[in-house]
Amino acid sequence: MLNTGNNASLAERDLNVLWHPCTQMKDHEGAPPIAIKSGKGVWIEDYDGKRYIDAVSSWWVNIFGHGNSNIADAIGKQAHQLEHVILAGFTHEPIVELSEKLVNLTPKGLSRCFYTDNGSSAVEVSLKMSFHYWLNKNGNNKKHCFINLGNSYHGETLGALAVGDVGLYKDTYGPLLLQPITAPSPDNYLRAEGETAEAFADRQADALEQILEKHAHETCAIIVEPLIQCAGYMRMYSPQYLRRLRALCDRYQVHLIADEIAVGFGRTGTLFACEQADITPDFMCLSKGLTGGFLPLAVTLTSDEVYNAFYDDYDTLKAFLHSHSYSGNPLGCAAALATLKEFETRNAVQNNLALSTYIANKLAPLKDHPNVADIRQTGMVAALELTPDGSRQTEFPWQERRGLKVFKHGLKNQALLRPLGNVIYLMPPYVITESEVDHLVDVITQGIEIAVA
Ligand code: PMP
């Protein structure tokens, strides 16, 4: 293990050769990247010995803590036995076992697992499979459109980017992208004064139905992030929308793609968000927490109905000829199996109920803060929205990035918070303790004062 650097020298070498994700590299002038040496539980430690609580689970992937030794050991053991093998024509025990487990754990009716190695690719697979299903099924090549939701996010590859709706990431590449039909978001922050979450969900589902009446004949699928639009400022919505969505997709013969890449594996309070609406999507995309945050692995689950439409003689071109070199990598599968075991041995979904209530109670006093327009929470994701006067506003209310001030305050005080615009959120590993939550909420409270001053 390399342990010889220090923050400054590693940052300098980094800036000579790296190009960081989702970063304006000029922002690093005067604010070099922080070099992390190690991680344990919710803590990460830099080369100068400074420690930070990873309140965002390192882009929402880590669920049972950094350096989790059960997951690390499982990967090590697997690495000594079989690190990788081509998945076309070959298989291996970890992937068979993992697929059996995922079929059992996900909503009833999802019976087939197709593996990729990152969330965006899992989304691409769902889009291609849906389009190809309609073609295989009825020779229907009129279905070539997708419906997405306002404020949605599904990844960065061109297909996944196209079905997202966050302009910051998407607009530049507009000329390269498929054009989805965008239905209004069920985001509960947008509800009218006095309107309930359910009533607003129904109103937005009615708007979707109008789109379907016009466009269902040319639409392959609707893609949504169930319950929380995470990259879209952690906006949340009622399960009622998902119930309506399932019924509409059935009525209008359009697939439903549930992108649970960020919300799957217990984030929303249930193992999968779709459970809260008691629905089964036609495709479910999973990644991030799947390996406990250790290795890149993703899976798209679908039904026998979809699978069977591809099952034919080779020369009919009905097969799904999509692959990635690292599809179903055995190390990733071993990490995923160890992660699922952690859910069982820790009774994690149940324990998170108490933890999420604790977080809610800690954040509650901030409701009265004059700059807090909204505090929202679904399971282990809690967010608060800052506005200049505490009223619910939707346009970027400030020129300056106030969240950035909270971020900087956090770094000085042992907290890795990574606000989205003016939305501060907690999406920590499930191993966080109450006193660590206390610390984060203290830092956020002080950070808000600095940010709004
Ligand atoms: N879908 C959702 C809902 C996501 O939050 C993300 C990643 N933030 C993706 C897809 C893309 O996953 P990846 O970054 O692994 O490509």
Side-chain angles (χ1 to χ4, degrees):
M1 211 194 303
L2 280 171
N3 268 337
T4 52
N6 61 45
N7 272 359
S9 71
L10 281 170
E12 193 184 326
R13 284 165 60 196
D14 171 299
L15 291 174
N16 281 332
V17 287
L18 266 91
W19 189 340
H20 285 265
C22 203
T23 298
Q24 171 48 265
M25 291 301 289
K26 191 164 188 280
D27 284 354
H28 278 311
E29 287 180 9
I34 298 164
I36 298 300
K37 185 165 85 175
S38 61
K40 198 71 198 161
V42 294
W43 293 91
I44 50 173
E45 185 171 335
D46 73 14
Y47 279 79
D48 295 343
K50 270 183 81 183
R51 298 166 82 230
Y52 311 84
I53 298 177
D54 186 355
V56 297
S57 299
S58 283
W59 263 337
W60 320 334
V61 299
N62 192 296
I63 49 183
F64 293 117
H66 293 275
N68 178 302
S69 38
N70 294 332
I71 303 174
D73 288 348
I75 295 169
K77 210 166 145 208
Q78 183 59 42
H80 285 285
Q81 185 171 334
L82 175 70
E83 78 301 331
H84 187 62
V85 66
I86 178 173
L87 196 62
F90 294 83
T91 193
H92 51 86
E93 195 168 349
I95 206 165
V96 174
E97 204 181 322
L98 176 62
S99 307
E100 287 169 351
K101 286 208 152 70
L102 289 174
V103 164
N104 274 332
L105 290 169
T106 51
K108 202 170 172 334
L110 293 171
S111 53
R112 290 281 162 181
C113 301
F114 190 98
Y115 289 88
T116 47
D117 48 21
N118 64 80
S120 304
S121 296
V123 168
E124 299 281 346
V125 163
S126 69
L127 302 175
K128 284 176 70 180
M129 265 186 189
S130 174
F131 168 80
H132 200 163
Y133 166 90
W134 296 112
L135 197 62
N136 282 352
K137 185 80 180 162
N138 343 317
N140 183 348
N141 58 6
K142 292 210 181 72
K143 278 187 181 280
H144 55 80
C145 293
F146 295 92
I147 297 178
N148 67 351
L149 297 182
N151 191 45
S152 57
Y153 178 88
H154 298 289
E156 299 294 342
T157 54
L158 292 179
L161 188 65
V163 293
D165 185 53
V166 179
L168 179 65
Y169 309 126
K170 177 175 173 175
D171 289 353
T172 309
Y173 306 100
L176 303 180
L177 303 176
L178 285 170
Q179 300 288 325
I181 301 161
T182 302
S185 173
D187 165 11
N188 194 41
Y189 188 76
L190 305 178
R191 72 195 182 280
E193 217 46 59
E195 192 173 29
T196 65
E198 288 70 26
F200 181 61
D202 275 326
R203 182 151 68 86
Q204 299 305 74
D206 291 343
L208 172 64
E209 180 158 19
Q210 285 178 14
I211 292 174
L212 282 168
E213 271 170 12
K214 229 161 117 191
H215 294 287
H217 69 283
E218 54 181 355
T219 301
C220 304
I222 302 179
I223 181 164
V224 302
E225 298 151 274
L227 300 186
I228 313 176
Q229 297 187 312
C230 293
Y233 308 101
M234 295 294 164
R235 295 286 179 77
M236 301 177 184
Y237 61 90
S238 161
Q240 172 64 6
Y241 188 81
L242 296 176
R243 284 188 281 272
R244 289 284 308 276
L245 190 56
R246 180 65 274 179
L248 288 170
C249 285
D250 288 342
R251 187 170 335 136
Y252 287 90
Q253 289 293 290
V254 164
H255 285 143
L256 172 55
I257 302 172
D259 173 354
E260 294 224 14
I261 288 161
V263 297
F265 298 104
R267 281 290 174 199
T268 65
T270 43
L271 192 57
F272 299 104
C274 283
E275 290 170 34
Q276 295 186 40
D278 201 14
I279 60 156
T280 301
D282 299 289
F283 299 91
M284 182 183 271
C285 306
L286 301 172
S287 188
K288 292 195 188 274
L290 173 61
T291 61
F294 270 67
L295 285 168
L297 184 73
V299 58
T300 306
L301 287 113
T302 190
S303 62
D304 281 346
E305 165 66 22
V306 170
Y307 175 79
N308 288 334
F310 289 73
Y311 197 87
D312 207 336
D313 296 328
Y314 187 79
D315 49 13
T316 61
L317 284 182
K318 286 190 171 176
F320 190 59
L321 301 180
H322 179 113
S323 62
H324 297 282
S325 316
Y326 282 99
S327 289
N329 171 258
L331 302 179
C333 294
L337 285 168
T339 301
L340 292 177
K341 205 154 162 202
E342 291 287 285
F343 271 101
E344 275 173 40
T345 52
R346 293 167 183 267
N347 199 11
V349 174
Q350 191 61 31
N351 287 342
N352 279 352
L353 293 178
L355 192 52
S356 57
T357 305
Y358 187 81
I359 293 172
N361 290 338
K362 277 308 286 188
L363 286 173
L366 281 168
K367 273 202 181 89
D368 299 326
H369 190 284
N371 295 98
V372 174
D374 192 35
I375 299 188
R376 48 186 175 265
Q377 187 173 353
T378 304
M380 287 298 291
V381 185
L384 53 89
E385 185 123 5
L386 297 179
T387 59
D389 60 0
S391 70
R392 260 194 290 140
Q393 299 178 12
T394 48
E395 291 307 309
F396 259 126
W398 282 300
Q399 289 303 312
E400 281 173 278
R401 288 182 282 171
R402 302 289 169 135
L404 196 60
K405 296 190 175 189
V406 180
F407 172 69
K408 286 181 178 161
H409 177 73
L411 288 183
K412 286 189 207 139
N413 292 279
Q414 300 198 310
L416 165 46
L417 302 159
R418 202 172 189 276
L420 292 155
N422 300 312
V423 174
I424 325 288
Y425 71 91
L426 295 177
M427 194 161 169
Y430 308 157
V431 294
I432 194 164
T433 62
E434 291 183 357
S435 65
E436 287 160 348
V437 171
D438 294 350
H439 179 71
L440 288 177
V441 175
D442 286 347
V443 173
I444 288 173
T445 307
Q446 299 149 7
I448 290 174
E449 290 313 325
I450 294 166
V452 302

